[in-house]
Structure formats: structure tokens, C-alpha cells
Amino acid sequence: QVQLVESGGGLVQPGGSLRLSCTASGRIFAIDAMKWYRQAPEKQRELVAFISASGTITYLDSVEGRFTVSMDSAKNTVYLQMDGLKPDDTADYYCSADHRASARSVVITYWGQGTQVTVSS
């Protein structure tokens, strides 16, 4: 089992910054990729940022240039630096980890409990 714990959410004014963290713990063999999703009220969950263990990074178009994802593999932690925040960024943010229990096992995706980000003046 792998557990994910997010932190760093909160209330920030438009134009402000927040840094989210997500740390994986438990019986970890290998994490292939970690992702940040968000879900605003009455909207579908959307993928915000993706980072693979090999360094591939992708972003949701609307956050490109404002958000930066990074991963510390030694700490099994992924970060999401969010700058230039807008009210439309208000949502619950979730991280996920694609984990393999062995070199030959299938990938299982684990989820964190989410952290709330509110952008408002």
C-alpha cells in the first residue's frame, strides 16, 4: 500500500502564489509518474500537471507558464509551484502516483485526499 499526503493549500489573493506538496509513503518500489489534478465545484476533475520519473513534464494549457511541477525522487515528493493565481484556479487539488510494486507488476494509481486552493480578493 502507498499513501499520499498533500499540503500547502489555502486562501490567496489573485496574482499570488502557493506551493503544494505531495509525499508518498508506504511500501514503495518504484513510482513511474506523479500527477496533479484539480476539481472545481460542479466541474469535472482535470489533469493540471504530469511529471514522470524520467523527467517528462506536461501542463494543462490554462496553467502553462504559471505553474511549475517538480519531483524529488529521493523523498518521493512532488511539488506544484503555482504563481500568478487566478480565481479560476480555485479548486480542490489532488495528487496521484503511478506505482509499481515490483519490476514486473502492473502500475497501480494511488490518490491523495486533496487540498483546497481558493483564489479570492
Side-chain angles (χ1 to χ4, degrees), residues 20-63:
L20 306 183
S21 301
C22 172
T23 298
S25 62
R27 296 173 62 87
I28 296 173
F29 174 77
I31 294 176
D32 288 353
M34 297 187 80
K35 306 166 193 174
W36 285 99
Y37 289 81
R38 69 185 181 188
Q39 187 166 19
E42 301 182 357
K43 291 188 177 180
Q44 290 190 332
R45 186 172 295 191
E46 58 184 358
L47 177 62
V48 176
F50 165 96
I51 183 167
S52 73
S54 61
T56 299
I57 291 174
T58 62
Y59 295 101
L60 179 69
D61 285 348
S62 61
V63 308

Side-chain angles (χ1 to χ4, degrees), residues 17-113:
S17 299
L18 284 174
R19 187 193 194 206
L20 306 183
S21 301
C22 172
T23 298
S25 62
R27 296 173 62 87
I28 296 173
F29 174 77
I31 294 176
D32 288 353
M34 297 187 80
K35 306 166 193 174
W36 285 99
Y37 289 81
R38 69 185 181 188
Q39 187 166 19
E42 301 182 357
K43 291 188 177 180
Q44 290 190 332
R45 186 172 295 191
E46 58 184 358
L47 177 62
V48 176
F50 165 96
I51 183 167
S52 73
S54 61
T56 299
I57 291 174
T58 62
Y59 295 101
L60 179 69
D61 285 348
S62 61
V63 308
E64 183 88 48
R66 299 188 296 122
F67 290 10
T68 304
V69 65
S70 60
M71 184 162 63
D72 185 336
S73 298
K75 296 181 179 180
N76 293 316
T77 298
V78 64
Y79 305 95
L80 185 66
Q81 177 66 41
M82 306 186 294
D83 299 317
L85 282 162
K86 304 175 181 180
D88 284 349
D89 295 318
T90 296
D92 291 326
Y93 284 71
Y94 300 86
C95 72
S96 73
D98 295 337
H99 176 259
R100 285 183 291 114
S102 70
R104 296 183 177 182
S105 67
V106 298
V107 172
I108 296 176
T109 298
Y110 293 89
W111 291 86
Q113 80 289 351

